[in-house]
Amino acid sequence: MKVISVKFKENGRAYYFDPAGFEVRAGDYVVVTTARGTECGEVVRGAHEAPGFSREVKPVLRVADAVDIRRMRQNRADVQQAYQLCEQRIAAHGLKMKLVDAEYTLDRSKLVFYFTADNRVDFRDLVKDLAAQFHTRIELRQIGVRDESKMLGGLGLCGQPFCCSRFLKNFQPVSIKMAKEQGLSLNPAKISGACGRLMCCLAYEQKSYEYLNSITPTPGSVVRTPDGEGTVVEVNVVAGTLKVRSNVESLAPRVYKRSECVYLRGGKRVPKTPDEEKK
């Protein structure tokens, strides 16, 4: 199947569309029909094959001309005024919701507002009020806190712009178990992002940590070192080193490479043997 990848927001995910015989390249703009209505989007990748993708995709309506692009940019400028007016109406109705973003469809047949809220919100009166103001179809969509951070952007604890605003198109499940596997502090303030959820980057190296942990003796394990048997007191799975306290009381703990030690017994987890590792 030949498809093109199109995105509608600067930091949004790309969607597949059927080029329908049009010659389009990355950087061009096309007009397509989406679940929100008729929209103008930027082609981020030209016609290419999508192996394993079998769902039906919608065709490109036309290649955007100067009028379409000017209308798209005008809509993005006008939506700022709509955003401010919606905030005022939310305050007037006393609704407990936080407005995040707004967008027009290309033909201005629909105006979509995105918001977050702790609970369900009855916004029927608000929709009627906004429809009377803008004379178009109004749609309010409740989104999660991660989607809010993706739309608004910002800087993370690492000092870099949010991953979700730059390159992370789909959110991966993240659990506290990942922080434990990686030996990180379990203080929520240190492992949570600006959205209040666990940082997405915890999942980036999780598979590597799982593998390294599977071949490394845990603290409390008894291992054989070049200097004799000893008990593991500290582990650095990334550096591949073990701090071992010898069974001879007069010897201070020493640091050995993982490859220099042979697991004998004990510990919370039995490491994989070299044969198992090869498999």
Side-chain angles (χ1 to χ4, degrees):
M1 177 184 293
K2 287 280 187 178
V3 296
I4 60 173
S5 300
V6 181
K7 69 175 183 178
F8 304 97
K9 288 181 175 291
E10 183 177 352
N11 57 359
R13 61 174 293 187
Y15 298 88
Y16 286 153
F17 288 91
D18 182 357
F22 291 105
E23 292 290 336
V24 290
R25 296 175 296 178
D28 293 342
Y29 287 87
V30 293
V31 177
V32 296
T33 301
T34 68
R36 292 185 294 268
T38 304
E39 294 190 84
C40 181
E42 181 184 359
V43 179
V44 294
R45 187 178 178 186
H48 62 279
E49 292 185 0
F53 187 82
S54 58
R55 288 186 300 170
E56 184 178 354
V57 294
K58 295 183 178 180
V60 171
L61 298 181
R62 63 180 183 275
V63 178
D65 55 20
V67 176
D68 293 322
I69 297 175
R70 184 168 62 250
R71 183 181 299 171
M72 175 191 67
R73 291 172 178 167
Q74 184 63 45
N75 290 344
R76 292 179 180 177
D78 292 345
V79 85
Q80 298 300 323
Q81 182 180 357
Y83 181 93
Q84 295 174 2
L85 180 58
C86 184
E87 280 192 323
Q88 296 173 5
R89 304 316 303 163
I90 289 173
H93 286 276
L95 299 176
K96 294 182 179 180
M97 54 191 289
K98 178 184 177 184
L99 190 63
V100 177
D101 198 7
E103 62 181 6
Y104 273 111
T105 55
L106 183 64
D107 55 5
R108 298 176 78 101
S109 62
K110 184 192 295 186
L111 178 56
V112 184
F113 293 97
Y114 299 92
F115 71 94
T116 59
D118 294 333
N119 302 302
R120 294 187 62 181
V121 180
D122 185 1
F123 47 71
R124 288 175 293 183
D125 292 336
L126 175 63
V127 171
K128 294 178 182 178
D129 196 351
L130 295 174
Q133 291 282 344
F134 296 107
H135 304 288
T136 188
R137 181 183 174 188
I138 303 296
E139 184 175 328
L140 273 76
R141 291 189 179 183
Q142 186 171 355
I143 60 175
V145 289
R146 281 187 167 185
D147 295 298
E148 177 187 8
S149 296
K150 182 175 182 177
M151 287 183 174
L152 298 180
L155 296 178
L157 295 176
C158 59
Q160 295 288 326
F162 293 160
C163 295
C164 56
S165 296
R166 285 187 296 162
F167 60 86
L168 193 63
K169 305 307 179 186
N170 298 312
F171 293 113
Q172 302 177 19
V174 183
S175 66
I176 197 71
K177 179 184 176 183
M178 295 181 177
K180 292 180 180 179
E181 286 276 348
Q182 297 173 31
L184 300 176
S185 168
L186 300 183
N187 184 351
K190 294 185 177 180
I191 58 176
S192 298
C195 61
R197 300 291 188 266
L198 293 175
M199 293 188 293
C200 296
C201 56
L202 292 178
Y204 294 169
E205 300 175 350
Q206 178 61 18
K207 290 186 178 180
S208 297
Y209 273 97
E210 288 177 352
Y211 167 71
L212 293 175
N213 284 329
S214 71
I215 64 173
T216 305
T218 59
S221 302
V222 177
V223 296
R224 183 186 300 116
T225 70
D227 300 319
E229 291 187 10
T231 303
V232 179
V233 295
E234 189 177 320
V235 173
N236 187 328
V237 294
V238 177
T241 58
L242 308 175
K243 190 173 185 179
V244 181
R245 183 179 63 247
S246 175
N247 292 341
V248 180
E249 296 182 358
S250 60
L251 297 179
R254 292 188 58 183
V255 177
Y256 299 90
K257 292 183 179 179
R258 182 169 45 218
S259 58
E260 296 176 327
C261 302
V262 178
Y263 172 81
L264 297 178
R265 61 187 178 275
K268 295 182 180 179
R269 179 179 57 246
V270 178
K272 289 182 178 179
T273 63
D275 291 338
E276 292 176 323
E277 182 183 345
K278 290 179 181 178
K279 292 179 182 179

